[in-house]
Amino acid sequence: MADREEGKEPRKKSATVCGFPISIFFIVVNEFCERFSYYGMRAVLVLYFKYFLRWDDDFATTIYHTFVALCYLTPILGAIVADSWLGKFKTIVYLSIVYTLGQVVLAVSAIHDITDANRDGIPDNMTVHVALSMAGLMLIALGTGGIKPCVAAFGGDQFQDHQEKQRSTFFSIFYLSINAGSLLSTVITPILRAQECGIYTQQKCYSLAFGVPAALMVVALIVFIVGSGMYIKTPPQGNIMVKVCSCIGFAIKNRFRHRAAEFPKRTHWMDWSEEKYDKLLIAQVKMVLKVLFLYIPLPMFWALFDQQGSRWTLQATTMDGNFGFLIIQPDQMQTVNPILILVLVPIVESAIYPLIAKCKINFTPLRRMTVGMLFAALAFIAAALVQIQIDETLPKFPSSTVGQVKFINMNNKLVAVTTGTDTFTLGAFAANEEYLTFDKTFLLNVEGVVDHKITLVNGSRTTMVIVPGMTVPIPFTDITAKPEQGANAIRFFNGFGSVLNVTVGSLNFGDIVTNNMSDYVALQQGSAEFKIRSSTQECVYSQDLGFGSSYTLIIPPTFAFGANCEQSIRPVVDIRPNIIHMAWQIPQYFLITVGEVVFSVTGLEFSYSQAPSNMKSVLQAGWLLTVAVGNIVVLIVAEAATLPDQWAEYILFASLLLVVCFIFAVMAYFYTYIDPAKIEAQFAHKDPEEEEKRKSVEMTRKDSVEHSKEDRRSSDSSANEEETKQTRI
């Protein structure tokens, strides 16, 4: 009855199970599927850029962080639309449709066969795939960001006033569904990506890795709509962010208009909005601005944190993912973060913080956030140390001004080779361990017979095979980059006296004639079983393959079919496999996760404790904005920095965060904690005399403004110019 008297619709009572509204189960399932969809897609995104769209590491990182930044900018738009026009339910439905469409478009963009006219496994029109990818990502950013501020709040709306305990439990379950969706998707989608699929040729299945998240988003939308009849749908009541921005804008505009010396100064610049806005709102805005000022240094933390999905994933592609009992894909290392979150949050909250309190250390929220930044900086120092070790194991490929060459001796004896002034010997059916580097041309002499002038292609690697009875070696072009996605590039040289056919599984090296080299075939990590066949006989040769290696397998002239035939096959290492284990990334993941627990959880807690009761959403929007700005910082550094080594970039980010950490510590030192409830209580009951005095002051100010206008009528055009300037500001 009271609600009707106030002109409001009474809240309908929804059916309950165990004290919980049935409607919340649809919301929780929806959130699980949506988070699975988002994090699953995001887990493989940077590798899709690198290996499918063929972008370099820097550009892939730039586009990745541009996308993440958009995902954290659009929540502001979603909140305004939901609270001011459509309401939460319609906003979630409409933007989920946009979201689903984006996921489908992205999955279609990853089908290589749609533009592969010559059926060689490589898209012929990459522009089509890039355009579809960017369109899909734009729709996803609008959808996921737009519904982000609505779903949790819509779930909270389903509870009655007497269900505070159930509402609290719901938010815990809701948070659990987010982490469960994130964890499962970052495990599953990299496995799907590693599969091979295609209509004409089999390639890494990015379309499946994106398609499953798209299907989960369809499920999320359907589940949410099915529960429509059970929801409590609160009509839009206006968005507080719009009101706050209007209040701040009016204060700035009014202050600018009254910048002349004849106008008395006011205690705070927000007091210049008193002519239009209530003092309670002004006081609340002051509290919000005080916290938002502390947010200024925070983007630097997110600039480091969100590189788990870009730089750290790319780092893992150059490492060994063999954990013995299972093989870890580079993008699966991201699962370490949600796993550690689930472990560390209860430990920190129930053990670490109480222990610090018992030691009588005043570990305030802002001090915790400072420590969180330090841990993130340490994580990047650890990443730099790992990168230095990786760089020492990577092959030194030739620059654009030199060429590299390796020699293979197919003679059943030692052979002396002279290159310029250097002489070395090669054993029977053996090769030199390292490539030799030359400036385009050099003189070559085999067994002292005659000098030959050899010309190399700059930036290339060449294998020169010395075969019996020939004084000039046969040149073959080698690969000049690590095999992609942890694969191994394998080829065969046939020194046998007849044509041989080599297969491994369903892959065929083709018929290899005598003294010729096969093309490279990409094989995954594990034990590879090669079948070497003549017209009537077969030999099986097995070799264990790691990650990112390249081998030339020599079939010597002395090869013979029969028992122990495989023992005569000689492997020559062209590129060594990755030897730095992915487990070395765990310390940096541990440090960044500790930083997240101490920084992020505490930051939200601090913000809510310092925010007015009706403006927590404003601070939530500000918090998400710091994440967006942090990702923008990454893309600026990735494009602007010209550091030659990746470890140096890690050190740069760590150094920047340490500087920002110091600035934040100084800001925190001078911050005075407040109790918003007490400040708001001061305005709960207005003193009639104070109200009359305020009105009198406002009338006096208006009269002053009118007199000022009369005095300045002759310069209206000048005033208009000033107002135009203020509008631009």
Side-chain angles (χ1 to χ4, degrees):
M1 184 67 71
D3 283 346
R4 293 185 186 276
E5 290 173 0
E6 294 173 10
K8 299 179 182 178
E9 288 293 326
R11 290 169 64 90
K12 71 176 182 179
K13 201 169 183 179
S14 60
T16 61
V17 174
C18 300
F20 291 89
I22 294 178
S23 56
I24 68 154
F25 295 102
F26 295 94
I27 296 171
V28 169
V29 173
N30 166 271
E31 184 65 11
F32 169 82
C33 294
E34 188 276 325
R35 289 291 86 185
F36 185 106
S37 176
Y38 174 73
Y39 283 108
M41 173 275 303
R42 185 172 143 176
V44 301
L45 190 59
V46 76
L47 297 186
Y48 170 72
F49 291 157
K50 179 179 174 66
Y51 295 124
F52 189 94
L53 298 183
R54 302 289 171 178
W55 292 344
D56 61 48
D57 288 1
D58 288 340
F59 192 62
T61 299
T62 297
I63 300 302
Y64 174 88
H65 286 284
T66 301
F67 166 70
V68 176
L70 286 174
C71 290
Y72 283 95
L73 284 173
T74 49
I76 298 174
L77 176 63
I80 293 173
V81 170
D83 292 345
S84 301
W85 293 295
L86 295 180
K88 298 183 185 72
F89 175 77
K90 288 183 178 179
T91 301
I92 294 170
V93 171
Y94 294 161
L95 289 181
S96 291
I97 293 173
V98 173
Y99 192 170
T100 304
L101 181 62
Q103 289 280 31
V104 171
V105 171
L106 183 62
V108 171
S109 76
I111 302 175
H112 64 273
D113 292 302
I114 61 177
T115 63
D116 186 14
N118 58 4
R119 302 185 181 183
D120 63 351
I122 301 174
D124 299 325
N125 191 345
M126 194 62 76
T127 303
V128 173
H129 295 275
V130 172
L132 288 173
S133 300
M134 295 304 100
L137 290 175
M138 289 290 290
L139 293 173
I140 292 170
L142 178 60
T144 187
I147 68 175
K148 191 185 292 289
C150 301
V151 180
F154 186 68
D157 290 345
Q158 307 309 305
F159 294 88
Q160 304 290 333
D161 293 338
H162 66 277
Q163 294 179 303
E164 286 296 327
K165 183 178 179 181
Q166 289 88 344
R167 182 186 284 116
S168 177
T169 304
F170 160 73
F171 282 117
S172 297
I173 296 172
F174 187 83
Y175 183 73
L176 181 62
S177 71
I178 292 174
N179 282 279
S182 167
L183 178 59
L184 287 175
S185 64
T186 49
V187 171
I188 293 172
T189 51
I191 295 175
L192 299 177
R193 175 195 61 79
Q195 306 305 307
E196 294 189 346
C197 62
I199 301 172
Y200 307 120
T201 57
Q202 299 293 301
Q203 302 293 330
K204 292 298 181 184
C205 207
Y206 288 97
S207 55
L208 180 62
F210 291 141
V212 170
L216 263 292
M217 196 57 223
V218 172
V219 172
L221 177 59
I222 293 173
V223 168
F224 187 75
I225 293 175
V226 166
S228 174
M230 306 178 194
Y231 297 139
I232 296 174
K233 301 170 185 175
T234 306
Q237 299 172 347
N239 189 273
I240 190 65
M241 283 189 289
V242 175
K243 191 178 292 185
V244 169
C245 292
S246 299
C247 182
I248 294 172
F250 181 80
I252 295 172
K253 187 176 181 180
N254 199 31
R255 176 68 184 90
F256 187 79
R257 285 175 172 174
H258 296 82
R259 64 189 182 279
E262 63 263 26
F263 297 104
K265 293 183 178 181
R266 302 187 185 181
T267 306
H268 192 280
W269 63 271
M270 275 304 302
D271 293 334
W272 287 97
S273 61
E274 288 180 351
E275 283 83 351
K276 185 176 180 180
Y277 294 94
D278 182 73
K279 281 192 174 182
L280 174 60
L281 177 64
I282 296 170
Q284 291 171 330
V285 172
K286 288 179 183 177
M287 288 185 275
V288 167
L289 290 175
K290 189 177 181 182
V291 177
L292 289 179
F293 177 71
L294 280 176
Y295 280 4
I296 294 175
L298 304 191
M300 202 63 223
F301 174 86
W302 300 114
L304 276 68
F305 179 81
D306 276 337
Q307 290 189 57
Q308 294 176 77
S310 57
R311 290 299 197 197
W312 286 14
T313 298
L314 293 173
Q315 183 187 63
T317 62
T318 60
M319 303 177 77
D320 180 5
N322 187 354
F323 281 74
F325 55 94
L326 79 165
I327 304 300
I328 297 295
Q329 299 296 326
D331 33 5
Q332 284 182 312
M333 283 301 293
Q334 297 174 59
T335 60
V336 175
N337 175 255
I339 291 172
L340 288 175
I341 283 284
L342 296 175
V343 173
L344 290 175
V345 167
I347 292 175
V348 170
E349 293 290 343
S350 61
I352 304 299
Y353 288 159
L355 181 62
I356 292 174
K358 284 186 178 181
C359 295
K360 297 182 179 180
I361 298 174
N362 186 20
F363 201 36
T364 62
L366 293 180
R367 290 178 182 174
R368 295 179 189 178
M369 293 174 69
T370 304
V371 171
M373 290 184 180
L374 290 174
F375 272 105
L378 290 174
F380 264 62
I381 293 173
L385 294 175
V386 171
Q387 189 64 48
I388 290 171
Q389 297 302 313
I390 292 173
D391 290 347
E392 290 180 355
T393 66
L394 294 178
K396 308 300 181 185
F397 292 110
S399 66
S400 59
T401 59
V402 298
Q404 292 181 340
V405 66
K406 173 180 282 192
F407 296 93
I408 296 178
N409 175 25
M410 294 302 295
N411 292 273
N412 194 13
K413 63 177 182 176
L414 290 175
V415 170
V417 179
T418 301
T419 57
T421 59
D422 298 326
T423 300
F424 56 91
T425 57
L426 293 174
F429 315 127
N432 47 316
E433 290 187 4
E434 301 293 338
Y435 280 87
L436 306 176
T437 302
F438 297 97
D439 294 329
K440 196 170 184 178
T441 61
F442 66 96
L443 291 177
L444 174 66
N445 187 301
V446 178
E447 292 285 28
V449 178
V450 63
D451 288 341
H452 296 280
K453 184 178 180 181
I454 305 297
T455 301
L456 300 174
V457 177
N458 287 343
S460 70
R461 276 186 159 190
T462 304
T463 291
M464 307 199 78
V465 182
I466 304 168
V467 299
M470 299 180 70
T471 59
V472 181
I474 306 173
F476 297 96
T477 302
D478 299 356
I479 58 174
T480 54
K482 271 274 197 179
E484 294 181 349
Q485 307 186 65
N488 300 274
I490 308 298
R491 63 181 177 175
F492 278 82
F493 181 83
N494 180 15
F496 190 57
S498 63
V499 176
L500 296 175
N501 179 273
V502 181
T503 59
V504 53
S506 61
L507 301 175
N508 195 334
F509 288 82
D511 292 332
I512 313 170
V513 300
T514 303
N515 292 334
N516 209 341
M517 190 87 74
S518 72
D519 292 331
Y520 284 104
V521 172
L523 301 178
Q524 297 305 307
Q525 184 274 344
S527 180
E529 189 174 89
F530 302 94
K531 293 182 179 180
I532 305 170
R533 297 185 180 94
S534 66
S535 57
T536 58
Q537 295 175 295
E538 178 180 284
C539 175
V540 177
Y541 170 74
S542 298
Q543 180 161 335
D544 291 331
L545 301 176
F547 290 85
S549 67
S550 176
Y551 289 91
T552 297
L553 301 179
I554 299 173
I555 304 174
T558 56
F559 174 77
F561 288 98
N564 302 320
C565 62
E566 73 279 359
Q567 293 181 7
S568 59
I569 306 297
R570 305 295 175 87
V572 173
V573 180
D574 298 331
I575 298 176
R576 292 185 179 86
N578 304 339
I579 61 173
I580 304 299
H581 203 278
M582 284 186 194
W584 284 107
Q585 279 196 322
I586 293 177
Q588 65 201 54
Y589 272 101
F590 175 79
L591 290 169
I592 200 79
T593 306
V594 172
E596 179 190 6
V597 170
V598 178
F599 176 89
S600 182
V601 176
T602 304
L604 287 171
E605 176 190 335
F606 164 77
S607 301
Y608 273 57
S609 71
Q610 300 295 289
S613 57
N614 65 333
M615 293 194 182
K616 299 188 187 299
S617 62
V618 178
L619 287 182
Q620 177 68 14
W623 183 265
L624 294 175
L625 187 61
T626 65
V627 181
V629 175
N631 281 272
I632 293 172
V633 170
V634 179
L635 65 93
I636 290 173
V637 173
E639 286 298 315
T642 56
L643 299 173
D645 299 308
Q646 184 56 51
W647 66 265
E649 184 180 292
Y650 289 142
I651 294 296
L652 173 62
F653 274 107
S655 302
L656 290 173
L657 184 57
L658 287 173
V659 172
V660 168
C661 182
F662 176 76
I663 295 171
F664 181 77
V666 174
M667 294 169 66
Y669 179 79
F670 290 102
Y671 181 84
T672 304
Y673 289 84
I674 60 172
D675 186 348
K678 288 184 179 179
I679 295 175
E680 290 175 320
Q682 296 174 8
F683 299 91
H685 303 287
K686 294 180 180 177
D687 188 339
E689 293 184 8
E690 281 291 322
E691 185 67 16
E692 188 66 32
K693 183 178 178 182
R694 186 180 72 85
K695 289 180 180 178
S696 176
V697 170
E698 287 179 2
M699 291 300 295
T700 302
R701 286 176 181 156
K702 287 179 182 177
D703 290 342
S704 175
V705 170
E706 289 300 321
H707 287 309
S708 179
K709 285 182 179 178
E710 286 290 332
D711 293 338
R712 292 198 298 268
R713 274 179 181 168
S714 60
S715 58
D716 277 347
S717 61
S718 175
N720 287 336
E721 288 179 11
E722 291 298 326
E723 191 156 351
T724 301
K725 289 180 184 177
Q726 177 58 33
T727 303
R728 287 174 182 166
I729 293 173

